[in-house]
Amino acid sequence: MWQNKYVASFAIFMTELAIICLLVPVHVVEGAINDEYKMSVKSLGTELADEVYDRAKKDYESLIIESGVYTAVVRHFIPTDEERRNSVGMEDLGTRDGWFPLVQSRINATTSIVYQLLVRYEVMMIWLPYVLLFVSVPVFIGGFWQRRIKQSNFDYSSPLVTNSTVQLLIYSCLGGVMFMILPVAVNHVLIPVIMIIISVLIGRVIGNIQKRL
C-alpha cells in the first residue's frame, strides 16, 4: 500500500516535470519570472529582492553556463554550423522543418525553470535560519519532551496519529518540491509557510514516536 502511494506520487511528480519541460512555452516561464519578481519586491522589499535575484543569477551562471552544461546539452541535440556543412545532403535537416528551433526553445524553457527554482532556493535560504531558530528547534524540543513525558506515564502514543502524520509530512515535502518547480508566479511568502508546516509535522512525528523506540 505504501509502495503504491510512493510510486503514484513519484509518477505525478515526473509527469509535472515532463509537462513543464516539454510543453510550457518559454514566454510563459519568463512572464512568470517577471511577475514573481514584482511580487517579491512587495513582500521582501526592493533591496532584498534584488539580492535574491542576483544570487540566483550567479548560481545559474555557475551551474548552467560556466560549467558547460548548457553548451553540452545544445550540442547534443543541435549540430553546429560546421557539422551541418559536413552532412552532405542533410544540411537543412531539422532546420527547415522547425525541429531544431523547437528543441532550442525547450532547452531555453527548461533552463529558465532552473533559474526560477534557484530564485526560490535563495528565498528559502534567507528564511531558513529564522524558521529553524523560532519554529523548528522549539517544535522539535517540544516533540522530544512530549515523548519523554509519555514514556514516564500512561499517556498513549497513537500509531494511527504517527502513521497519518508521517504520510502528511511526506506529501507536504513532495508538494514543496513540486511547488519549487512550478512555472507560475507565486508569492515568496508561501516558502516559509511551507517550511513551518513541515517543521510542525516533524515535531508531531517526534512527539508520537512509540515509547519503546
Side-chain angles (χ1 to χ4, degrees), residues 74-128:
V74 171
R75 288 184 178 177
H76 179 76
F77 290 102
I78 303 175
T80 62
D81 292 338
E82 182 179 356
E83 289 172 336
R84 292 178 187 175
R85 288 192 297 268
N86 294 334
S87 301
V88 180
M90 296 188 295
E91 296 89 342
D92 297 328
L93 182 65
T95 301
R96 185 182 304 138
D97 54 12
W99 170 250
F100 290 148
L102 175 62
V103 171
Q104 182 70 62
S105 69
R106 292 298 85 217
I107 294 173
N108 292 340
T110 302
T111 53
S112 296
I113 292 169
V114 171
Y115 172 71
Q116 191 174 35
L117 169 63
L118 291 172
V119 169
R120 293 167 181 173
Y121 168 79
E122 290 296 343
V123 173
M124 185 178 69
M125 288 297 100
I126 288 176
W127 281 102
L128 183 60

Side-chain angles (χ1 to χ4, degrees), residues 10 14-15 20 25 30 37 43 48 54-55 77 85 100 107 114 123-124 132 138 148 156 162 172 174 202 205 212:
F10 181 74
M14 294 304 296
T15 300
I20 291 172
E30 293 177 347
Y37 171 75
S43 60
L48 187 55
D54 287 342
R55 289 183 184 178
F77 290 102
R85 288 192 297 268
F100 290 148
I107 294 173
V114 171
V123 173
M124 185 178 69
L132 286 176
R148 293 287 291 179
Y156 179 64
T162 303
S172 297
L174 180 62
I202 293 175
V205 171
R212 295 184 179 179

